[in-house]
Amino acid sequence: MTSAVTTDTSARPGYGQLLRTPAALGFVLPGFAARLPFGMLTISILLLVQHATGSYGDAGIVAAVTGVSMALFAPVMGKLTDRRGQSAVLVPVVLSHTAAVSLLTALALIGAPLWALALAAVPAGASVPQVGPMVRARWAAKLEGSPLLPTAAAFESVTDEFTFVVGPVLATALCTGIHPAAGLATEAALTLLGGLFFAAQRSTEPKAAPRAADGEKHASALSFPGLRVLIVAFIGIGAVFGGMQVSLAAFSEEIGNPGANGLLYGVFAAGNMVAGIAMGAVAWKIGPRRRLILGYIGLTAAASVLWAANSMILLGALGLVVGLFIAPALITGYTMIEQLIPAASRTEAFTWLTGAVAFGQAAAVTVAGRLTDAHGSSYGFLVPLVATAVALVTLLALRAKLAPNAPTRIVNASASAAPASAPSETAPAARNRVNERGMGHRVPVTVD
């Protein structure tokens, strides 16, 4: 069993203290290299297929098939990882993904018909390795009982933000500056090398849990109502990414400056990153549920005016604001999983959220691509507005499901289980009681 990490609680835990955790960099660095391709895949497919077919609508269909396939198979991969172990799942997955992406790239370059591209997109999406949730699971095992665990959750969410920021910008630069297929080629190479290196870090890999502690089958993460609400919210966030990718590319072509696409998306991404870093550095006084709702209100409001932008400067400014509001919603949602879902289903829960982003992105790319082909980029920007508005209404209506003590949860209050200072707190029985709460927190969590 992984031992708890002793930390200095006299000061608020920070990123520096987190990264000094023994053996942490050994999985953080290869984990980043292996998850960066997640942010490159959709935009690389979009730009390559659009180049090959001349249609954003067709490109959107292929990208959407990839995203939907990933969304459907990601939870299956997460459940297998919880049961079989990370390396056992990751190695065959990264090999399969490299082969699938190579096939899709080759078909696009030889001018294969749309149905063939869509068919090849299925295994390309299904085999996307779920490295982000695996990294989170390693932090949880490494930091069991430590006040650094919430800091780790924030750090991982910032890393996800960085992936969403750097990945599309890098892919756009490669596809527009080198070759339309360069984005997918780089995505496949990074997935293969980073994934195999990450899988080789066996010392920090959490132990597989083929059966629950009581001998019964594990409950699916999807059986917890809070996760289902968060999935809707993350679909809306994915729709922002997908709608922005298509619409910004189309807007850049409309103004006769295709290269502006990378700059505009970079500004949008910069807002995302700045807010993400700030989110992890601030000691919040309000609870995560309220932060999520407030962040989503801001995101919906910012997305509601994108369609009206008629200049590069105005669109860049609005994109920056939209990016500033994505991070609070995304980071808070990931952090809440640690309160809502039992540890045995943690990786599966994280993959549901990752899949939700991919599904929202895929749907938005498809719809925005069709609208852009028919009416121009301003109509493509309506997709983030509609998606975030629907998700916000869902959040407000079902916000009670996001409380850690939702009716379907079994929560042992630490006060009733044992005094905080009791020597037996480190005993296996006490640890098991804490683990019923989800991620093994031993510090109070603000709940509104």
Side-chain angles (χ1 to χ4, degrees), residues 32-336:
F32 174 74
R35 70 212 283 191
L36 179 61
F38 179 82
M40 301 175 63
L41 184 60
T42 299
I43 188 65
S44 295
I45 291 174
L46 184 72
L47 294 175
L48 174 60
V49 177
Q50 194 277 332
H51 170 79
T53 65
S55 169
Y56 280 106
D58 289 348
I61 290 175
V62 179
V65 171
T66 306
V68 170
S69 180
M70 197 207 89
L72 293 175
F73 282 89
V76 176
M77 197 181 302
K79 184 173 290 188
L80 284 174
T81 300
D82 283 330
R83 309 299 178 261
R84 304 288 178 84
Q86 294 185 358
S87 298
V89 173
L90 189 57
V91 172
V93 163
V94 297
L95 294 175
S96 300
H97 183 73
T98 303
V101 168
S102 299
L103 174 62
L104 176 59
T105 303
L107 289 174
L109 290 176
I110 65 175
L114 179 60
W115 65 265
L117 296 176
L119 189 62
V122 174
S127 60
V128 172
Q130 300 302 308
V131 178
M134 292 181 185
V135 175
R136 291 173 185 273
R138 293 195 185 212
W139 278 122
K142 190 75 176 174
L143 299 175
E144 182 182 357
S146 168
L148 277 171
L149 195 55
T151 305
F155 176 80
E156 284 307 307
S157 294
V158 170
T159 304
D160 285 333
E161 290 292 314
F162 195 70
T163 298
F164 292 137
V165 168
V166 175
V169 173
L170 175 61
T172 300
L174 290 170
C175 291
T176 58
I178 299 179
H179 188 276
L184 276 183
T186 304
E187 189 273 347
L190 285 174
T191 297
L192 179 63
L193 297 177
L196 292 178
F197 189 28
F198 179 81
Q201 312 306 307
R202 301 295 295 272
S203 64
T204 54
E205 180 179 341
K207 292 183 178 179
R211 298 192 71 82
D214 58 3
E216 299 295 330
K217 291 183 178 179
H218 289 278
S220 170
L222 199 59
S223 65
F224 293 85
L227 177 61
R228 298 196 294 268
V229 177
L230 289 176
I231 285 173
V232 175
F234 274 55
I235 289 175
I237 292 173
V240 174
F241 286 115
M244 292 290 282
Q245 287 174 354
V246 172
S247 302
L248 288 177
F251 178 85
S252 299
E253 287 199 357
E254 289 171 0
I255 64 174
N257 186 8
N261 179 31
L263 176 61
L264 288 173
Y265 199 90
V267 171
F268 162 67
N272 218 341
M273 270 303 300
V274 169
I277 294 171
M279 280 290 295
V282 172
W284 294 96
K285 301 296 185 181
I286 62 175
R289 180 172 57 176
R290 189 174 302 172
R291 292 203 307 270
L292 176 63
I293 292 174
L294 290 176
Y296 225 96
I297 290 173
L299 177 60
T300 304
S304 67
V305 292
L306 286 170
W307 64 272
N310 56 9
S311 71
M312 185 173 168
I313 294 177
L314 179 58
L315 184 56
L318 292 175
L320 177 68
V321 176
V322 171
L324 288 172
F325 281 110
I326 283 183
L330 197 67
I331 289 176
T332 305
Y334 272 123
T335 303
M336 292 178 75

Side-chain angles (χ1 to χ4, degrees), residues 303-388:
S304 67
V305 292
L306 286 170
W307 64 272
N310 56 9
S311 71
M312 185 173 168
I313 294 177
L314 179 58
L315 184 56
L318 292 175
L320 177 68
V321 176
V322 171
L324 288 172
F325 281 110
I326 283 183
L330 197 67
I331 289 176
T332 305
Y334 272 123
T335 303
M336 292 178 75
I337 283 294
E338 299 163 7
Q339 304 171 30
L340 298 172
I341 308 298
S345 301
R346 181 170 56 240
T347 307
E348 181 194 352
F350 284 133
T351 53
W352 272 109
L353 294 189
T354 303
V357 173
F359 182 82
Q361 187 178 33
V365 165
T366 303
V367 177
R370 292 299 183 188
L371 290 174
T372 297
D373 279 346
H375 306 290
S377 63
S378 60
Y379 281 79
F381 285 120
L382 293 176
V383 174
L385 164 60
V386 174
T388 53

